[in-house]
Amino acid sequence: MSKIFKYLSRAPIFGLVLFVILTTVTTISAFAEFSFQIIIGIGNVPNISINDLPDYSVLLYTDEPFAAVYIDGKYAGNTDSFGRIVVRFDAEGYHSVWILTSNKYAMYDRIVFYVEKQPKIVYIPSTRLGEVTVFSNVYPVYVYSSKGVLYGVVKKDGEKVLAPVGLQELVFSSPGFEDIRQNLNIQYGKEVPVWLKFSPLPFNLELVVSEKFSPNGDWNEDECVIKIYSSRPASGSIQIINSSGIIVYEKPLKIDAGTTQLKWDGKGYPDGVYTVRVLLSDGLTTIQKEAKTVLDTSVYTYAKEITIAFILLFTGLITYLALTGK
């Protein structure tokens, strides 16, 4: 039995299949079942007394008039001219609320609140935004906060991204170039231009391949995974060479900065040690990297047969439950 579980754990798709099964069987709603009633909406009086509201009522208070309110993903209504809406639930429980407004300079995060029998106020503050207009010597430009939150991608001169108001340190990034950091004073609804001149990164290249693989059709390590890490866009070629120095596989390459993943199935080639050779140039510098992998078809794990049997068993169980109504 322990050997069977060992084979199962090594099957590439078994984890995915098991995840889908467990998710299907165990998923339940994160929030309480509910019904709600809009008590106060558009055009109501300025003053609302919590003491006058029915049990299980929540006054949702935003800073945006006539904004759409979604509770647990369901549309609940719009705020009034003062940015308020009162919702009455039928029981205690946790719920989520999200505000959607036509004001592009206001953004809301989803928040979770708890409904009690005693009426309460839930404040939902917005994040106020301003515009950052980018002019750069290269594109695309990715605009991040200092904490790594992506605000947007600029693809040409004069395009804008929205960023929170206040003194912000923004990080501007473009693949193959050094990041630029700038402090900008973002104002609500206003446009702040920024001019960028990126400097190229040094050309660096790394190569990582599977230490061994087994192209025998058992769904376990059937391919050699080849990962190329490049600091800049580059072009060149990849070769796979057997132990006698003969090139058994060759392909031209054109990659972007970052990680490029390739696979070699090795089918039809004898067991042995193979060398993966990558030769790339960024137009100024040429780099060659090599790594070795072992092709070994001698071990058959039966992972394919076990996975297929498991899927058929599960499908049969679901069909039986559906037909019997259990």
Side-chain angles (χ1 to χ4, degrees):
M1 182 63 70
S2 62
K3 290 184 178 180
I4 293 176
F5 281 106
K6 180 179 179 182
Y7 293 145
L8 285 173
S9 66
R10 296 176 66 184
I13 71 166
F14 178 73
L16 177 60
V17 173
L18 184 59
F19 172 79
V20 172
I21 294 171
L22 293 178
T23 301
T24 303
V25 173
T26 63
T27 298
I28 59 173
S29 173
F31 302 103
E33 291 293 330
F34 74 97
S35 61
F36 58 80
Q37 177 185 1
I38 305 305
I39 304 297
I40 298 178
I42 297 174
N44 289 280
V45 295
N47 296 322
I48 299 177
S49 174
I50 289 294
N51 296 329
D52 295 335
L53 295 178
D55 291 345
Y56 307 111
S57 294
V58 176
L59 168 57
L60 301 173
Y61 211 120
T62 78
D63 47 15
E64 280 294 317
F66 314 121
V69 180
Y70 291 84
I71 297 176
D72 297 349
K74 299 178 182 179
Y75 174 69
N78 286 67
T79 59
D80 65 10
S81 57
F82 298 94
R84 310 165 303 180
I85 188 171
V86 177
V87 183
R88 181 178 181 273
F89 297 83
D90 58 358
E92 294 186 356
Y94 285 99
H95 299 277
S96 68
V97 61
W98 181 57
I99 307 298
L100 182 62
T101 172
S102 60
N103 179 7
K104 71 175 183 178
Y105 300 114
M107 179 180 68
Y108 288 87
D109 293 325
R110 191 190 79 156
I111 67 170
V112 175
F113 62 94
Y114 187 76
V115 174
E116 301 175 81
K117 184 176 181 180
Q118 179 68 32
K120 65 192 296 185
I121 299 175
V122 174
Y123 292 95
I124 313 169
S126 68
T127 299
R128 296 298 185 176
L129 307 170
E131 293 180 334
V132 178
T133 306
V134 175
F135 300 90
S136 174
N137 62 326
V138 296
Y139 292 98
V141 176
Y142 297 82
V143 184
Y144 296 91
S145 73
S146 59
K147 296 182 178 179
V149 177
L150 178 63
Y151 291 147
V153 182
V154 177
K155 298 181 179 179
K156 62 181 181 180
D157 277 349
E159 283 191 346
K160 303 173 177 62
V161 298
L162 297 173
V165 300
L167 184 61
Q168 300 281 345
E169 182 186 44
L170 299 184
V171 180
F172 301 91
S173 179
S174 189
F177 295 84
E178 295 181 359
D179 290 348
I180 297 175
R181 292 177 176 265
Q182 285 199 18
N183 291 315
L184 299 176
N185 186 17
I186 312 297
Q187 299 181 41
Y188 173 61
K190 299 294 181 65
E191 184 177 359
V192 179
V194 60
W195 287 266
L196 306 172
K197 187 175 182 180
F198 286 92
S199 300
L201 285 168
F203 183 37
N204 291 310
L205 184 68
E206 297 297 337
L207 175 65
V208 176
V209 304
S210 303
E211 292 183 2
K212 64 177 181 178
F213 70 111
S214 177
N216 54 13
D218 66 351
W219 292 3
N220 180 62
E221 297 178 347
D222 278 339
E223 296 176 311
C224 175
V225 178
I226 302 167
K227 290 187 177 182
I228 303 169
Y229 302 90
S230 179
S231 63
R232 294 183 51 75
S235 59
S237 65
I238 180 173
Q239 298 176 336
I240 297 178
I241 306 163
N242 66 16
S243 57
S244 299
I246 299 173
I247 298 173
V248 299
Y249 177 87
E250 186 170 16
K251 178 183 177 180
L253 284 182
K254 187 174 182 181
I255 66 173
D256 295 323
T259 304
T260 300
Q261 180 170 301
L262 308 172
K263 292 182 179 180
W264 180 52
D265 61 20
K267 291 181 179 178
Y269 295 101
D271 290 3
V273 179
Y274 290 81
T275 300
V276 179
R277 177 185 296 162
V278 170
L279 183 68
L280 291 172
S281 172
D282 68 345
L284 298 174
T285 305
T286 300
I287 299 177
Q288 177 177 297
K289 292 286 184 176
E290 293 184 354
K292 295 188 181 300
T293 184
V294 177
L295 191 160
D296 182 6
T297 59
S298 63
V299 178
Y300 194 89
T301 64
Y302 295 96
K304 177 175 67 175
E305 289 79 2
I306 294 172
T307 303
I308 292 174
F310 189 89
I311 294 173
L312 292 175
L313 178 63
F314 176 71
T315 303
L317 177 61
I318 294 298
T319 303
Y320 170 76
L321 293 176
L323 293 175
T324 58
K326 294 182 179 180

